[in-house]
Amino acid sequence: MKASKSLWGSLLLVPFLLTACGEDDSGENGLDEEAESAGERITIFQDKVEISDQLEELAAEYTEETGVEVEVWGTTGSDYFQQLQVRLNSNQGPSIFSIQQYTELERIHSYAYDMSDEDYVQYIAQDMELEYEGNIYGVPYGLEGFGLVYNKDLVDPSEVTDYESFVQTLQRFEDEDINGISLADNSFFMIGHLSNYPFSLQDDNYEFVQQLNNGEISLTDYEEFQELGLFMEAIRDYAPNPMEVSYDRQIGDFATGQTAMIHQGNWAAPMFDDYELDFEIGMMPFPLSGNDKLAVGVASSWVINNDKSDEEIQAANDFLEWMFTSERGHEYIVEEFEFVPALTNIEADNLDPLSQEVLDAANAEQTLPWSHIYYPANSVRNNLLPPTEEFFLDDSITPEEYIENLDEAWDVAAEEDE
């Protein structure tokens, strides 16, 4: 949905936040705005609080090297997008800002500069660009990916390639008194990420979600969703009830060899630092419908404000070009920000094993896109989780009935999101 700039002018919080913006940024606004218009000064507003200090250090180095002043604005993080909308609407927007997902770009895309012709976009890993109507509006911060994290001493990925081999593997581990797989009791860990697969295996996952939202199709009519029901039944039959498995317990059981596979992402790697693993770990595709790719996506993307002067837009492009192509910029992205690079021209050494698997998959263009970024707002926790919990509590619910329940839950989520 495209929103006009005048719509944002009606936000009730504008007066309060405009005051706040003025206090932050307008002390010497006349001089600042003149420098910005001339491309001598740029500003950055972004959502990842954990890299704020490092980004300020990078900005200082860039200023020393080029003479262009770079100011990094702070954010509290949780209400970042609301703050961004107000700043953009009040003509006090930054030169560069971040967007977390596609649905945010839909709301403010008129403020996003079309990067399609910039040189640095050639380095974006396949399908990782922030795209709208065929044009590129954002460059990814870094990559995150999820799949089956496995114990290399126990699991051979070549033997887990489809539903039948998945079930056979779980049966084998049951005979050996080892948990074949476990999920954790977080809504995304229990169903959010797993539900991603059947959507992303469609020819056009975004269009599929839109058709589902419009009530034009049903999940029950697609074999990928029916097979998801079968996979969930196998997990119900052979895994600990995920409602009784915390994230910490899931990691601990895997790290101590009690569980052979867990469905997780590379973000879990630091949690293994608390254990002395005596085996190697890897990440392999979840084999729904024979899927052979890791699900890899982007948490946030860099975007340039299209509502600025040509000189300021050029200065913002120059800064991003430096960050994406210089040796020093690469060092910051990998070593200081600790991102898995989403650009093919960045080499990353000493990544943890799971992050390295994600990077290798992206560079080899063997990835499955994230579809959950298109889901109705809050639908994973509010709508998809309850029928999933019911399924794990009641083994009389068939896989077919489970998918019917998910389909009904989606209808409710789509109506609530209108």
Side-chain angles (χ1 to χ4, degrees), residues 107-389:
R107 294 183 179 185
I108 62 169
H109 81 272
S110 61
Y111 288 101
Y113 169 76
D114 183 355
M115 300 172 163
S116 302
D117 294 329
E118 300 301 329
D119 286 343
Y120 51 74
V121 301
Q122 67 180 299
Y123 302 117
I124 301 175
Q126 184 188 31
D127 298 330
M128 295 301 132
E129 64 274 14
L130 185 61
E131 193 175 276
Y132 184 81
E133 295 183 342
N135 298 317
I136 299 173
Y137 290 95
V139 179
Y141 274 43
L143 302 179
E144 290 184 339
F146 56 81
L148 287 173
V149 176
Y150 66 98
N151 180 329
K152 289 190 175 182
D153 286 352
L154 300 175
V155 180
D156 179 352
S158 68
E159 297 178 351
V160 189
T161 57
D162 54 22
Y163 170 71
E164 287 75 17
S165 59
F166 178 76
V167 173
Q168 290 168 3
T169 299
L170 297 186
Q171 290 172 335
R172 174 170 66 85
F173 282 120
E174 184 178 59
D175 294 340
E176 297 172 3
D177 199 25
I178 296 174
N179 294 328
I181 186 172
S182 78
L183 309 180
D185 61 357
N186 173 286
S187 60
F188 270 89
F189 296 165
M190 197 185 303
I191 183 58
H193 293 150
L194 285 164
S195 66
N196 183 81
Y197 297 111
F199 282 100
S200 296
L201 289 170
Q202 306 302 318
D203 291 337
D204 186 335
N205 59 330
Y206 175 73
E207 182 60 25
F208 187 89
V209 172
Q210 302 313 306
Q211 290 179 321
L212 191 61
N213 289 343
N214 295 333
E216 299 169 5
I217 58 175
S218 169
L219 299 180
T220 59
D221 294 334
Y222 291 83
E223 62 182 21
E224 293 85 358
F225 286 91
Q226 293 298 342
E227 189 163 310
L228 174 66
L230 295 174
F231 269 91
M232 296 297 274
E233 181 186 47
I235 293 171
R236 185 176 64 184
D237 289 345
Y238 293 101
N241 185 336
M243 296 176 65
E244 300 174 356
V245 180
S246 68
Y247 187 17
D248 285 342
R249 177 187 163 188
Q250 184 195 34
I251 296 297
D253 287 352
F254 177 79
T256 54
Q258 300 176 64
T259 302
M261 300 181 290
I262 58 176
H263 193 267
Q264 272 298 346
N266 61 298
W267 52 79
M271 296 185 70
F272 296 123
D273 294 342
D274 295 334
Y275 300 87
E276 294 184 2
L277 298 184
D278 58 0
F279 56 87
E280 295 184 1
I281 63 175
M283 186 189 298
M284 63 183 184
F286 188 81
L288 186 135
S289 298
N291 169 53
D292 59 359
K293 299 178 175 65
L294 297 180
V296 177
V298 174
S300 288
S301 296
W302 301 103
V303 178
I304 292 176
N305 189 345
N306 193 46
D307 204 30
K308 296 294 185 178
S309 69
D310 291 344
E311 291 79 6
E312 187 172 345
I313 289 174
Q314 183 59 54
N317 264 313
D318 291 344
F319 174 81
L320 293 183
E321 176 83 19
W322 181 85
M323 185 165 67
F324 298 149
T325 62
S326 73
E327 181 178 352
R328 194 64 182 131
H330 291 183
E331 289 175 356
Y332 264 95
I333 290 172
V334 176
E335 299 174 13
E336 303 298 332
F337 301 162
E338 297 188 57
F339 291 158
V340 178
L343 302 177
T344 58
N345 62 327
I346 300 178
E347 295 183 0
D349 298 323
N350 301 319
L351 292 175
D352 66 78
L354 302 184
S355 296
Q356 189 63 53
E357 297 260 20
V358 171
L359 179 60
D360 291 345
N363 288 340
E365 300 183 351
Q366 292 295 308
T367 61
L368 205 62
W370 284 2
S371 296
H372 54 271
I373 61 175
Y374 305 133
Y375 289 6
N378 302 315
S379 58
V380 171
R381 181 180 60 188
N382 296 342
N383 304 96
L384 302 186
L385 181 62
T388 302
E389 291 177 329

Side-chain angles (χ1 to χ4, degrees), residues 52-119:
S52 296
D53 292 342
Q54 298 92 325
L55 186 59
E56 288 182 2
E57 293 173 5
L58 178 147
E61 287 194 31
Y62 183 77
T63 298
E64 184 176 353
E65 182 173 321
T66 66
V68 176
E69 182 183 355
V70 181
E71 180 176 327
V72 180
W73 295 348
T75 176
T76 57
S78 58
D79 59 347
Y80 163 79
F81 189 63
Q82 184 185 41
Q83 293 179 42
L84 174 65
Q85 291 178 52
V86 173
R87 287 177 183 270
L88 291 172
N89 184 62
S90 64
N91 294 321
Q92 296 183 44
S95 316
I96 298 171
F97 55 91
S98 64
I99 284 182
Q100 291 187 347
Q101 59 188 51
Y102 180 82
T103 50
E104 292 182 348
L105 178 62
E106 282 186 310
R107 294 183 179 185
I108 62 169
H109 81 272
S110 61
Y111 288 101
Y113 169 76
D114 183 355
M115 300 172 163
S116 302
D117 294 329
E118 300 301 329
D119 286 343

Side-chain angles (χ1 to χ4, degrees), residues 6-35:
S6 60
L7 173 62
W8 305 121
S10 65
L11 290 173
L12 296 176
L13 291 174
V14 165
F16 169 76
L17 290 173
L18 281 182
T19 301
C21 291
E23 289 175 355
D24 287 341
D25 311 316
S26 61
E28 298 177 349
N29 258 0
L31 292 175
D32 289 347
E33 291 175 1
E34 184 177 337

